[in-house]
C-alpha cells in the first residue's frame, strides 16, 4: 500500500511539472507583468549586476552575538552613471538634460568620497552618527592616519537606488549617506566600537571583476510595447459573468 502511495505521488508530481509552462502562460495572460528592460538577470551588463561589484558587506559578532551589520556601496563613477541612465530613462529626459545631470553627479563625485551604508546594531535605532553618541563610528583609514567624515546623514533612497539595492533593503537597517573629503591615497572604510574595529576595502577587485559596460546597452536590449487596456464596461461584464 505504501508503494502505491509513492507511485501515485510521483505521477501527480510529473503531471504538475508537465503543465507548468501552461500555468506560467496563464499567469502572464491574466496578470500583465509590463515589459522589462532587463529580462536576463544573469546578464553582467544589467544595472544591478554592475552595482554588485561595488558593494561590500561587513558582519561583526561577539562570539555568536551580533554587534553590527553593514552593507556599503561606494558612489564612484560607474555607480553614478548607472543611476543617471536609469533616472533619465524613467523621467523621459532629453540627452541634453541627462548630460547636465551626469555633470552634476560627477561634480559631487569630485567634491567628496561618498558611500551609502545600510547599518544595523542591536538595541539601537541609530547605529552611526557624527557626534559619537551611536555605538559605532565610521572613519576613513589612510596611510596618513584616520579621517573623520565630513557628514553622516540618514537619507531616503531615490527610486533608482531602491531598485538597484533591493536585495539589501531591510526595515531593520538604517540608511546613511556618509561623505569624506577625498583622500589622495589608498583608503579603507573603518567601523569602530570601544573595544574593536573592522574594515572594508575597494583596493582589491571584487569577484567577479567589474565589467566595462557600454553606455545604454541594457536599456535598449528590447523595445517597450504598449498594451491596450480593456474597456471598463467589457471588464465589468466579464467579471459579472464569472
Amino acid at each position: 500500500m505504501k508503494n502505491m502511495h509513492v507511485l501515485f505521488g510521483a505521477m501527480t508530481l510529473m503531471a504538475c511539472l508537465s503543465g507548468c509552462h501552461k500555468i506560467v502562460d496563464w499567469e502572464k495572460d491574466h496578470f500583465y507583468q509590463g515589459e522589462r528592460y532587463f529580462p536576463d538577470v544573469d546578464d553582467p551588463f544589467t544595472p544591478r549586476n554592475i552595482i554588485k561589484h561595488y558593494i561590500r558587506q561587513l558582519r561583526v559578532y561577539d562570539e555568536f552575538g551580533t554587534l553590527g551589520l553593514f552593507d556599503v556601496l561606494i558612489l564612484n563613477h560607474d555607480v553614478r552613471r548607472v543611476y543617471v541612465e536609469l533616472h533619465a530613462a524613467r523621467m523621459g529626459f532629453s540627452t541634453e538634460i541627462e548630460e547636465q545631470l551626469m555633470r552634476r553627479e560627477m561634480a559631487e563625485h569630485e567634491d567628496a568620497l561618498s558611500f551609502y551604508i545600510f547599518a544595523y546594531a542591536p538595541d539601537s535605532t541609530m547605529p552611526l552618527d557624527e557626534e559619537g553618541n551611536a555605538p559605532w563610528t565610521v572613519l576613513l583609514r589612510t596611510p596618513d592616519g584616520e579621517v573623520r567624515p565630513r557628514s553622516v546623514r540618514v537619507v531616503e533612497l531615490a527610486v533608482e537606488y531602491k531598485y538597484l539595492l533591493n536585495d539589501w533593503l531591510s526595515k531593520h537597517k538604517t540608511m546613511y549617506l556618509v561623505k569624506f573629503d577625498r583622500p589622495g591615497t589608498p583608503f579603507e572604510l573603518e567601523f569602530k566600537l570601544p573595544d574593536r574595529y573592522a574594515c572594508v576595502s575597494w583596493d582589491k577587485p571584487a569577484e567577479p571583476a567589474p565589467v566595462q559596460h557600454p553606455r545604454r546597452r541594457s536599456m535598449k536590449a528590447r523595445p517597450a510595447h504598449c498594451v491596450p487596456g480593456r474597456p471598463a464596461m467589457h471588464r465589468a461584464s466579464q467579471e459579472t459573468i464569472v
Side-chain angles (χ1 to χ4, degrees), residues 172-242:
H172 303 294
K173 297 176 183 176
T174 305
M175 185 71 229
Y176 293 92
L177 174 62
V178 179
K179 294 184 177 182
F180 294 87
D181 291 332
R182 182 168 290 282
T185 61
F187 63 86
E188 294 177 333
L189 197 62
E190 182 180 40
F191 296 87
K192 301 181 73 173
L193 285 176
D195 68 333
R196 71 193 70 196
Y197 68 91
C199 298
V200 292
S201 172
W202 285 262
D203 283 344
K204 295 181 180 179
E207 295 294 339
V211 293
Q212 297 297 320
H213 57 290
R215 182 175 175 81
R216 282 291 178 87
R217 168 177 166 177
S218 297
M219 296 297 290
K220 295 183 178 179
R222 58 185 297 182
H225 298 285
C226 291
V227 177
R230 296 179 181 178
M233 291 302 294
H234 171 75
R235 180 176 180 182
S237 63
Q238 288 293 99
E239 290 174 349
T240 302
I241 293 173
V242 173

Side-chain angles (χ1 to χ4, degrees), residues 105-178:
E105 286 288 321
M106 290 303 104
E108 293 181 5
H109 174 64
E110 294 299 325
D111 176 65
L113 179 62
S114 303
F115 305 88
Y116 277 136
I117 301 178
F118 292 86
Y120 166 80
D123 304 320
S124 176
T125 57
M126 192 64 65
L128 299 171
D129 69 7
E130 292 182 71
E131 292 76 23
N133 299 318
W136 287 90
T137 57
V138 58
L139 302 171
L140 207 64
R141 178 191 283 187
T142 74
D144 300 324
E146 295 176 332
V147 179
R148 288 178 51 81
R150 180 193 296 181
S151 63
V152 179
R153 294 192 297 111
V154 177
V155 294
E156 177 71 19
L157 285 176
V159 172
E160 288 74 20
Y161 278 115
K162 286 182 179 179
Y163 162 74
L164 293 169
L165 297 169
N166 182 67
D167 292 341
W168 289 270
L169 293 177
S170 168
K171 64 180 181 180
H172 303 294
K173 297 176 183 176
T174 305
M175 185 71 229
Y176 293 92
L177 174 62
V178 179

